[in-house]
Amino acid sequence: MNPQYVRTTYRRVSLVVGAVVTLLVAGLMVAGNAQAAAGCQVAYTVPSQWQGGFTADVKVTNLGDAVNGWSLTWTFPSGQRVTQAWSATVTSSGDQVTAKNVSYNAAIATNATVNFGFNGSWTGGNTAPTSFALNGVTCSGRVGETPTPTPTPSDPPPAGGDAMATVAAMQPGWNLGNTLDAIPDETAWGNPLVTQALLRQVKSQGYNSIRIPVTWSNHHGPAPTYTIDAAWLGRVRQVVDLALAENLYVLVNLHHDSWQWINGYPGDRTNVMNRYTALWTQIAATFRGHSSKLVFESINEPQFTGTSGDAQSDEVLRELNVAFVRLLRQSGGNNATRVLVLPTLNTNSNQAQLDALAATISQLGDRNIAATVHFYGYWPFSANIAGGIRYDTNVEQDLLQSFDRVHAAFVARGIPVIVGEWGLLAYDYTRPGIIERGEVLKFFEAVGYQARIRNFTTMLWDAGSFLNRNDLQWRDPGLYALMKASWTTRSATASSDQIYVRRTGTITSRSLTLNLNGAAFRSLRQGSTVLTSGTDYTVSGSTLTLTSAALTRLAGNRAPGVNANLEAHFSQGVPWPISIISYDPPTQAAANGTTTSLTIPTQFRGDQLATMEAKYADGSPAGPANWTSYKEFWSTFQPDYAANTIILKPEFFAEVNDGSVVTLTFHFWSGTQITYRVTKSGTTVAGSVS
């Protein structure tokens, strides 16, 4: 990630489960109207299994006539479920599973083999299936009545392994953010030194890979050799080795180098390319003998200055990516077949940039290449600007369209995808409330599901906002539980996780719309107490209604703030939290200050700030981002609940017209809106209640 946005299961056991389970099957049908010649062989193996999960490999060998288009079906005997597949499109209906070819492996010649794999989940057991069918025909393992020996596959697997399988095995992934990429050194951006205990905890929480961003520019000598500091290179190697020792896949890159010096490549090709290749030559030599579980990413978020536009930037990125791949392959050792990861321009998912990277990968003709993009969602929501306070259709359509484009450009063509960073730009434990927690939960649930069904591997950007590096505990255990659930299933959500009730007057019933996401409602609970259906609440379709009697009881003495916490439980996934909050409309008072800071006295009275609008008298937007009246949360204004104030920052006044009255509208989560007027005169500011 770039500096303008500095962001702060059980252990998997590698084993082969028993002997290879080989099942002889027959009944292969020719696509179209050709007569099928029965005969095929299937080898179903479980190369690794861990508590609650496993990886399976399936090899289908055609013993009959050539086919073009295939479908393999089977039934799981122990209730297993497929969670992520590669080299096949896998769908399920209960225990019934269907795997169909993808575009690049539809044809199976006589005596040829097609291979696909998947990650799965299990609970009570992981017994292998005992029967398969190809194109609707139950298999017996014979051509006619003559048993046929196992044939030799006509297409050998790519040297060094299967990139699609490697990337799938990396799911899910976690970023060691703001650490080895910090400038100038590992602890400069507030995180402690990396320890074995940290990496062991990451693995124990269900993560299978770790992205280790590394900034090299402050740790090497001058031209022409650009020799990397031995101590720094040794530290990077130490952290990589610690992660590999925890059975984590590891991704290493050139990180903030992208904007520090690589961005000058268009105007300084010789010097930048020499520096780039010198660094990768040294990194390649250091790790050439390391396990294939180590993968390299050419550049983080590549960006360039001095180009005529994105098309030229795409071209110079192609030059760097091609140089990177050729250099690594020529360095020998395990680098000759190691999975290499190539980004789009700015790691975005715009169609032009996806097409450009797809063309580069096609040009390279290398089967051990993966593509990478980053995803931080619809910007107004991700940063809380322009009124983007909710996970709404704008946010969802941006997610679906972005992921569909990436899938079509890469996965559908047999190229694996790593979402190398994802999250929300404004999510930071040091700046609470920028994005309301329930809206965060909805976004994270949706990203997890939509990535999973498209076979993307996701790597959470964590610069310290999620896993506390000091005590190794999750800062928000509920958010982690939802992310973990999304690796295998969906969780239900609701239109809100808050119900506001006034501190005085009669409390009426309130309703929430449930987003069931394939689940069924089971119960509503307060701690260990199960609320009573019909008396405390009703559910009609997707509408959950809490009765006035229940809300009155739950609100208690109606002290300002949260009076009760409930959970809606469903047939799958994690429960949905619902807070009952008592409030009175907030009030404000006059204030005087300067353009450096204006502190507005604000009695929140149990309410929470959602956003702020700023307009001139003619209704036009005031302040920064003058294309919208809704200003960016925290960058231009900030609530301080403990001090009962709202702070207007110098960034806001820097773009306010001198002498003009600005009307501020503060929007609160209860639905309350209050207006306030400020006038800037030189460096002084006066504020008054409107």
Side-chain angles (χ1 to χ4, degrees):
M1 178 159 238
N2 289 335
Q4 59 262 42
Y5 291 117
V6 174
R7 300 177 292 267
T8 56
T9 116
Y10 295 83
R11 183 175 178 182
R12 181 173 179 174
V13 180
S14 292
L15 58 101
V16 176
V17 181
V20 172
V21 179
T22 302
L23 302 171
L24 298 179
V25 294
L28 204 57
M29 295 177 65
V30 180
N33 297 322
Q35 179 64 38
C40 73
Q41 184 179 53
V42 171
Y44 177 100
T45 64
V46 180
S48 59
Q49 177 175 300
W50 58 99
Q51 183 64 42
F54 67 101
T55 296
D57 184 71
V58 184
K59 293 182 175 67
V60 182
T61 302
N62 178 18
L63 305 183
D65 294 339
V67 298
N68 187 10
W70 53 267
S71 174
L72 181 71
T73 58
W74 70 90
T75 301
F76 276 129
S78 304
Q80 302 100 314
R81 294 293 183 266
V82 174
T83 59
Q84 183 181 36
W86 49 93
S87 300
T89 300
V90 178
T91 57
S92 302
S93 177
D95 294 335
Q96 309 295 316
V97 185
T98 300
K100 294 184 177 181
N101 64 273
V102 291
S103 59
Y104 59 85
N105 65 3
I108 317 176
T110 301
N111 291 332
T113 295
V114 67
N115 185 92
F116 68 93
F118 61 86
N119 288 334
S121 62
W122 61 276
T123 51
N126 191 21
T127 306
T130 58
S131 178
F132 291 82
L134 243 299
N135 292 349
V137 178
T138 302
C139 303
S140 64
R142 291 185 295 277
V143 178
E145 295 300 321
T146 305
T148 304
T150 303
T152 302
S154 60
D155 284 330
D162 182 338
M164 192 72 79
T166 297
V167 170
M170 295 171 68
Q171 171 66 7
W174 181 84
N175 270 271
L176 185 67
N178 286 14
T179 305
L180 294 182
D181 57 314
I183 301 169
D185 54 42
E186 186 173 347
T187 60
W189 288 353
N191 280 313
L193 292 170
V194 179
T195 64
Q196 185 88 56
L198 168 64
L199 301 174
R200 184 165 296 151
Q201 178 70 351
V202 169
K203 180 63 180 179
S204 75
Q205 298 302 289
Y207 289 94
N208 289 318
S209 63
I210 178 172
R211 183 172 180 257
I212 303 178
V214 183
T215 300
W216 303 86
S217 57
N218 299 320
H219 302 284
H220 65 70
T225 59
Y226 300 103
T227 303
I228 300 173
D229 299 340
W232 181 251
L233 186 57
R235 176 57 174 162
V236 173
R237 177 169 181 161
Q238 180 185 38
V239 174
V240 169
D241 289 344
L242 290 174
L244 290 171
E246 295 303 324
N247 201 25
L248 287 161
Y249 284 80
V250 178
L251 184 154
V252 169
N253 70 358
L254 268 60
H255 202 75
H256 293 306
D257 305 80
S258 62
W259 57 266
Q260 288 187 307
W261 55 274
I262 294 176
N263 62 340
Y265 177 64
D268 191 14
R269 273 176 157 78
T270 299
N271 289 325
V272 172
M273 181 62 82
N274 287 345
R275 188 175 180 182
Y276 181 74
T277 55
L279 292 180
W280 272 119
T281 297
Q282 295 170 77
I283 298 166
T286 299
F287 294 104
R288 70 192 301 272
H290 272 60
S291 160
S292 60
K293 296 185 78 169
L294 171 65
V295 303
F296 291 133
E297 175 188 30
S298 61
I299 315 167
N300 171 69
E301 296 183 352
Q303 54 197 274
F304 301 100
T305 59
T307 62
S308 60
D310 284 352
Q312 186 182 358
S313 293
D314 286 328
E315 171 56 25
V316 296
L317 175 58
R318 182 195 66 80
E319 294 173 14
L320 290 167
N321 277 336
V322 169
F324 163 75
V325 172
R326 290 176 177 168
L327 185 155
L328 265 294
R329 294 302 183 231
Q330 292 167 7
S331 67
N334 287 338
N335 293 336
T337 56
R338 190 181 305 284
V339 171
L340 303 178
V341 182
L342 304 182
T344 60
L345 182 65
N346 295 304
T347 52
N348 71 35
S349 57
N350 295 337
Q351 190 63 56
Q353 279 59 66
L354 298 175
D355 291 343
L357 180 57
T360 299
I361 295 173
S362 177
Q363 172 198 351
L364 287 165
D366 189 314
R367 296 177 66 182
N368 284 325
I369 298 290
T372 186
V373 297
H374 293 174
F375 188 74
Y376 288 98
Y378 183 62
W379 180 59
F381 174 70
S382 192
N384 193 343
I385 192 173
I389 63 173
R390 291 191 180 276
Y391 180 84
D392 59 13
T393 55
N394 292 320
V395 185
E396 185 163 84
Q397 286 305 305
D398 176 79
L399 165 61
L400 296 177
Q401 291 168 10
S402 295
F403 278 17
D404 281 346
R405 289 194 300 268
V406 173
H407 183 273
F410 300 120
V411 177
R413 301 177 183 177
I415 302 166
V417 168
I418 297 173
V419 182
E421 295 181 13
W422 75 281
L424 288 166
L425 293 173
Y427 186 89
D428 184 348
Y429 78 98
T430 66
R431 302 179 298 167
I434 299 179
I435 306 175
E436 197 275 323
R437 184 174 183 266
E439 307 306 313
V440 171
L441 292 174
K442 285 185 270 188
F443 175 83
F444 274 67
E445 195 284 328
V447 172
Y449 170 71
Q450 298 298 341
R452 174 165 58 85
I453 65 173
R454 290 169 178 79
N455 296 330
F456 299 166
T457 285
T458 56
M459 307 189 86
L460 176 72
W461 177 262
D462 190 356
S465 284
F466 296 95
L467 182 63
N468 187 327
R469 307 263 183 97
N470 296 301
D471 63 12
L472 303 184
Q473 300 299 310
W474 294 101
R475 297 187 189 277
D476 187 336
L479 177 56
Y480 163 68
L482 180 139
M483 286 191 288
K484 184 176 181 180
S486 76
W487 302 338
T488 57
T489 190
R490 294 212 71 175
S491 296
T493 64
S495 52
S496 180
D497 64 337
Q498 303 177 119
I499 294 178
Y500 278 88
V501 297
R502 290 289 294 266
R503 291 191 63 237
T504 59
T506 302
I507 298 175
T508 60
S509 62
R510 301 293 177 82
S511 296
L512 298 173
T513 300
L514 302 176
N515 309 306
L516 293 169
N517 295 331
F521 179 86
R522 289 289 185 258
S523 63
L524 187 64
R525 305 180 187 184
Q526 182 184 24
S528 59
T529 301
V530 179
L531 275 63
T532 303
S533 176
T535 302
D536 295 324
Y537 69 91
T538 61
V539 175
S540 176
S542 61
T543 301
L544 168 65
T545 301
L546 275 77
T547 65
S548 59
L551 286 172
T552 301
R553 183 181 76 250
L554 293 166
N557 64 6
R558 301 197 210 180
V562 177
N563 302 135
N565 289 304
L566 309 179
E567 285 187 340
H569 287 247
F570 301 88
S571 59
Q572 65 186 34
V574 298
W576 179 255
I578 303 170
S579 295
I580 312 301
I581 304 169
S582 292
Y583 79 102
D584 280 321
T587 60
Q588 294 182 320
N592 292 291
T594 69
T595 53
T596 301
S597 177
L598 176 68
T599 300
I600 302 174
T602 305
Q603 297 297 319
F604 293 97
R605 307 171 80 187
D607 215 336
Q608 299 271 319
L609 185 63
T611 188
M612 180 192 81
E613 285 187 273
K615 295 180 180 179
Y616 293 117
D618 63 1
S620 63
N626 61 11
W627 49 273
T628 176
S629 62
Y630 290 89
K631 304 297 102 173
E632 184 173 355
F633 202 118
W634 209 276
S635 295
T636 56
F637 67 96
Q638 170 191 336
D640 185 336
Y641 295 106
N644 282 308
T645 61
I646 295 176
I647 303 165
L648 296 185
K649 298 187 174 183
E651 290 82 359
F652 174 74
F653 290 111
E655 299 187 46
V656 168
N657 297 336
D658 200 55
S660 296
V661 176
V662 177
T663 298
L664 306 177
T665 302
F666 293 98
H667 297 255
F668 294 84
W669 280 107
S670 68
T672 300
Q673 298 180 21
I674 56 176
T675 56
Y676 195 85
R677 289 193 175 93
V678 294
T679 304
K680 182 179 82 169
S681 300
T683 59
T684 64
V685 181
S688 62
V689 179
S690 64

